Amino acid sequence: LIAAGVDAATITLKWPNDVLVGGRKVAGILLEQEMAKGTDVPAFMLVGTGINIAHAPDGAVAINDVLASPVGVDEFRDAFLSALSGRYEIWGKDGFAPLRDDWLSHAHGVGGPVTARMAEKSLSGTFEGVDENGTLVMRDDHGEIRHISGAAIHFGGANS
């Protein structure tokens, strides 16, 4: 949706939940789920989004800062929900694979350095992409493939 009015080459998706335009955050996504009792199947999932439309915090960017023609909140909301509905239909019909492929085509930092900081340790290596479950795939500094589902992730230098 954001790509409709922005140079697509400037849009990247930073695992796990950020949308960047020109390297600056324009939106973030938060997913929360609860598993059905006694199963590994989600009972429900909540999706929350924060999108900078007219204004942005320091270091971030707003949609209207990068569009040739500003968009109103209502117009953006309607287009966003329509696009989200279309993605949900794809997921229901074809599963995660086509969404994963599309995500990877815009992924921030693939092939570059990444550090995963967890409570008990940090791992550094190369960002290889995401697996069939959306988990970050990293080749660590010893050449071993690691699947990271939860950590503070830093791409490139320590502060990126």
Side-chain angles (χ1 to χ4, degrees), residues 10-153:
T10 68
I11 298 171
T12 57
L13 304 172
K14 185 176 175 185
W15 191 92
N17 60 354
D18 292 339
V19 179
L20 308 177
V21 173
R24 295 166 52 196
K25 187 172 178 176
V26 71
I29 303 161
L30 178 64
L31 302 174
E32 294 288 334
Q33 69 180 9
E34 185 170 309
M35 305 309 263
K37 270 192 171 170
T39 74
D40 61 354
V41 175
F44 65 85
M45 180 176 285
L46 300 173
V47 179
T49 58
I51 304 165
N52 304 328
I53 296 174
H55 305 284
D58 288 343
V61 66
I63 296 283
N64 284 338
D65 292 338
V66 295
L67 292 178
S69 299
V71 63
V73 172
D74 292 342
E75 178 186 359
F76 187 89
R77 178 204 58 223
D78 294 347
F80 174 77
L81 291 175
S82 177
L84 182 61
S85 177
R87 296 297 188 149
Y88 185 74
E89 287 178 26
I90 291 168
W91 178 57
K93 180 178 153 228
D94 301 321
F96 180 59
L99 300 175
R100 175 186 174 268
D101 292 345
D102 189 36
W103 189 93
L104 284 170
S105 73
H106 297 285
H108 174 83
V110 172
V114 63
T115 300
R117 293 193 178 112
M118 296 155 276
E120 67 285 352
K121 65 181 175 179
S122 289
L123 294 172
S124 293
T126 302
F127 179 41
E128 299 287 327
V130 297
D131 67 15
E132 64 279 354
N133 297 311
T135 301
L136 181 138
V137 178
M138 169 200 295
R139 181 176 305 277
D140 72 18
D141 290 337
H142 304 289
E144 187 175 333
I145 295 293
R146 304 285 187 139
H147 295 259
I148 311 291
S149 60
I153 301 296

